[in-house]
Amino acid sequence: MHTTTLHTVTGPLSCEAVRGPALAHEHLVLDLDREGDGGAVLDAGRHGPAVAAELLALRDAFDLSFVMELTCRGMGRDPRALAALSRETGVAVVAATGWYYEPFHTPEVASASVEQLTESLVREIEDGFGSSGIRPGVLGEVGSHGDVPSGPEARSLRAAARAAVATGLSVATHAQLGRGGLAQLDLLTAEGLPPHRVSVGHQDLLDDPGVHKELAASGAYVAFDTVGKESYQSDDTRVRLLLGLIEAGYADRALLSCDISRHAYLEAEGGQGYGHLFRSFLPRLRAAGVDDDLIDLMTRRNPLRFLTGASTEEI
């Protein structure tokens, strides 16, 4: 029996204890406000109660077990707030470290070497965030934009890969608008990180089934993680692309989530909320013939395998 544990914000969690689905790419506390309008914000004080209410409702209705919270350096990360949310809701939270894409890089990235960046990540993974004692359980969302990462983005990706190899964690990426995923994977695996320890982000924003299949065939996870963000891509297209991946035999490479990254996306403000995946998208997959075992594979077993490096046989 596989007994690998997840590193959550409230301590270790056995994979065997995870009986319900996960959200594989979310933000519970976040600050990406570069315009000054306060839109790209999830503030622990102002929005925390609404976030907690949604998580509690999803735990009760769908047995939501854990959330991969991919708010990293330069994104308004707040591990203590995540721990408070987790304790309040009973939903486990896996926190992240790494650097987002270049416009949000913290100052040290500009001048630091790959070795220095790696050392910084490893120290945080082993010692925790500051004095909190809370440890990250994943590297992400490590970002790039365009078809090829910029110089600083390439260094941050390489450092994430080296830190992952050194500590046994996995790497979740931000591929801006779905582009550049193959280049990201090439950089990460060139540092010795196995493809099955990589999740390439935002692939539901890229209408290119060939790229999805190439990523999946390598062994990497393909994240359909902006479900419900209709202003970027229709869920009709997401369903078509995901069904294509499933029909090609790659359901075991898919990760699903909603990437809630603005307070306007919260249900309390009329948005689709974290539950859009369960209330709208998964019923559409079921209506298209996707059975409950495949739903469990994509929403529970795949996230566990991604985070732990476990094989199909182990979970």
Side-chain angles (χ1 to χ4, degrees):
M1 180 65 71
H2 194 71
T3 57
T4 297
T5 57
L6 307 181
H7 299 293
T8 83
V9 294
T10 56
L13 174 66
S14 168
C15 289
E16 295 172 1
V18 177
R19 311 311 303 174
L23 287 166
H25 181 142
E26 294 300 341
H27 303 281
L28 306 178
V29 182
L30 169 109
D31 187 350
L32 295 178
D33 183 20
R34 297 167 67 218
E35 307 298 326
D37 63 2
V41 170
L42 291 165
D43 180 82
R46 284 179 293 145
H47 309 120
V51 171
E54 289 197 34
L55 296 181
L56 277 165
L58 295 176
R59 188 198 67 183
D60 292 345
F62 302 101
D63 199 21
L64 177 66
S65 290
F66 74 92
V67 173
M68 264 188 260
E69 214 280 1
L70 297 184
T71 306
C72 59
R73 300 179 182 194
M75 297 178 75
R77 187 177 63 181
D78 189 340
R80 286 187 172 90
L82 297 182
L85 275 170
S86 182
R87 291 190 182 99
E88 180 181 352
T89 62
V91 176
V93 176
V94 176
T97 189
W99 289 275
Y100 194 32
Y101 74 114
E102 188 174 0
F104 296 92
H105 280 179
T106 46
E108 70 272 17
V109 180
S111 58
S113 67
V114 174
E115 291 77 13
Q116 289 169 320
L117 296 175
T118 303
E119 181 182 343
S120 175
L121 293 174
V122 170
R123 186 164 57 246
E124 190 163 73
I125 292 164
E126 293 181 343
D127 298 341
F129 302 108
S131 62
S132 70
I134 298 168
R135 295 171 56 195
V138 66
L139 289 130
E141 54 179 303
V142 184
S144 70
H145 65 298
D147 293 324
V148 179
S150 69
E153 289 169 347
R155 290 202 309 279
S156 71
L157 282 157
R158 291 173 62 199
R162 292 185 188 184
V165 171
T167 62
L169 297 189
S170 296
V171 176
T173 79
H174 166 90
Q176 181 81 350
L177 300 178
R179 294 172 56 197
L182 291 168
Q184 290 181 340
L185 185 63
D186 285 346
L187 271 174
L188 295 166
T189 55
E191 298 296 332
L193 187 63
H196 72 280
R197 303 309 301 265
V198 177
S199 166
V200 179
H202 308 326
Q203 291 308 289
D204 53 333
L205 300 180
L206 182 72
D207 192 349
D208 190 336
V211 168
H212 298 160
K213 291 170 188 174
E214 187 172 348
L215 290 168
S218 79
Y221 287 89
V222 182
F224 280 57
D225 54 10
T226 67
V227 171
K229 288 188 170 181
E230 294 270 352
S231 63
Y232 289 91
Q233 181 78 279
S234 72
D235 276 358
D236 287 342
T237 299
R238 291 185 177 93
V239 168
R240 170 174 56 79
L241 291 170
L242 183 55
L243 289 174
L245 196 64
I246 293 169
E247 288 160 7
Y250 294 120
D252 63 343
R253 298 295 98 186
L255 295 173
L256 307 179
S257 211
C258 298
D259 189 22
I260 299 302
S261 55
R262 303 176 71 86
H263 58 84
Y265 291 139
L266 297 173
E267 287 184 353
E269 299 193 19
Q272 68 270 33
Y274 301 97
H276 180 85
L277 177 70
F278 303 108
R279 296 192 177 103
S280 176
F281 194 74
L282 295 182
R284 293 181 65 174
L285 292 182
R286 290 188 176 98
V290 178
D291 65 25
D292 285 344
D293 183 66
L294 283 180
I295 297 291
D296 180 74
L297 175 66
M298 293 187 289
T299 61
R300 184 182 68 88
R301 279 135 55 202
N302 285 353
L304 290 174
R305 290 170 183 156
F306 163 65
L307 286 172
T308 63
S311 68
T312 303
E313 295 74 29
E314 290 173 304
I315 294 179

